[in-house]
Amino acid sequence: PVPWAVQPNAPAGGSGKGGASSPSSAGGQRFASGVVVLPPGALSLGSVDHGIGTCQPCFYVNTKIGCQYGSSCKYCHSEHPAKNQEVPSRQKRRTCQDFVDEFFEGCLPGGLTPLRIAEADLQRAPGFPHGDEVAGKYCLKLLRIRYKAMGIDLAAEGVGDDEGPPRG
């Protein structure tokens, strides 16, 4: 539970002791009484930055039960586009896991190469699912996970988690 009460869109003058206010970290106003007033249009504390695109969506707001924190939730309650993440079938996932495990184990004796090179090598390896774009992306994702598990900083290598195969 959040230690202060939240009153969405309340008038800015009457809630605080002596009218003193200070900005909260989420963009609303926190009064001396501890009440946070959200700006007009903000559905939750996390929705304040929705207009500039730096918010993180609340996973619970659209569930049957809803978000238990309501307007005091630090995540955004505004509409976000759904992520259409395609996942291969269970059998293809298992085949991809076995393929990437075998490829990764074969790389270890010679030392790990930079991820971009390993991705290119993986795509050239016999057995890579060239005809199945979803399975191919899944194999590359598994390779990135293996690199992360080895403690390799993917951000330092300029690799994002949601990237597809390298182009070029």
Side-chain angles (χ1 to χ4, degrees), residues 65-135:
I65 297 172
C67 177
Q68 68 180 13
Y69 296 107
S71 58
S72 63
C73 181
K74 67 180 183 176
Y75 296 100
C76 184
H77 286 192
S78 298
E79 273 302 309
H80 290 87
K83 289 184 179 180
N84 293 332
Q85 184 176 0
E86 296 181 74
V87 179
S89 69
R90 182 179 292 166
Q91 181 180 0
K92 284 184 182 179
R93 287 195 311 264
R94 185 72 222 153
T95 302
C96 288
Q97 288 169 353
D98 293 341
F99 172 70
V100 171
D101 288 346
E102 186 178 318
F103 174 82
F104 192 78
E105 297 301 323
C107 291
L108 289 179
L112 287 176
T113 60
L115 182 61
R116 287 286 182 200
I117 295 170
E119 287 178 333
D121 290 344
L122 180 73
Q123 290 176 340
R124 286 192 295 270
F128 185 81
H130 289 286
D132 187 347
E133 183 180 351
V134 174

